[in-house]
Amino acid sequence: AFALGAGVCQDQTHVFIACCRELGVPARYVSGYAYSPDREQVTSHAWAEAWLATRWVSFDVGNAARGGGGHIKLALGLDYLDACPVRGVRLGGEVEELATTVLVRQG
C-alpha cells in the first residue's frame, strides 16, 4: 500500500501505524463505522489512534481527517486481525449475506 500510494482504509491505517511505531509513537488499529453526510449509509471503516502526550488521538487516514464526530468505535487492536469486524471459518457452498444496521442518536 505504501509503495503503490493506494489501498483501502485498512491498508492506509496499517501504513500510518507502522510509521508511528517507527517514530516511537504508540499506535493502535480501530475498526468500526464512519458516517459521512454525503453518503446515505453508514459504512464499515478502519482508522488509527496514536498516543500523543496524555491521550489517544484518532486519525482517519483513509479520509485525510481526524477521527471523531462521525466515527463509531467497535474494536481496538494492534492490527486488523485483532480488531476485524467479522472473523471466522465458513464451511459449505451455500450463499450467505451479512447485513448490519447502525442507529445513531445525538444524546
Side-chain angles (χ1 to χ4, degrees), residues 16-39:
F16 178 85
I17 290 170
C19 290
C20 286
R21 291 177 182 164
E22 178 64 24
L23 294 171
V25 176
R28 61 191 184 185
Y29 187 98
V30 185
S31 67
Y33 294 98
Y35 170 77
S36 176
D38 61 333
R39 283 182 285 183

Side-chain angles (χ1 to χ4, degrees), residues 70-87:
H71 292 73
I72 302 163
K73 188 185 305 184
L74 293 181
L76 301 168
L78 293 174
D79 57 21
Y80 176 82
L81 287 178
D82 280 348
C84 58
V86 177
R87 186 172 175 184

Side-chain angles (χ1 to χ4, degrees), residues 9-70:
C9 60
Q10 293 92 343
D11 302 323
Q12 296 160 348
T13 298
H14 273 288
V15 169
F16 178 85
I17 290 170
C19 290
C20 286
R21 291 177 182 164
E22 178 64 24
L23 294 171
V25 176
R28 61 191 184 185
Y29 187 98
V30 185
S31 67
Y33 294 98
Y35 170 77
S36 176
D38 61 333
R39 283 182 285 183
E40 188 173 308
Q41 296 181 344
V42 174
T43 58
S44 63
H45 195 53
W47 61 96
E49 291 183 341
W51 183 260
L52 301 180
T54 60
R55 65 187 180 99
W56 290 102
V57 177
S58 295
F59 294 92
D60 184 346
V61 185
N63 290 318
R66 292 277 306 271

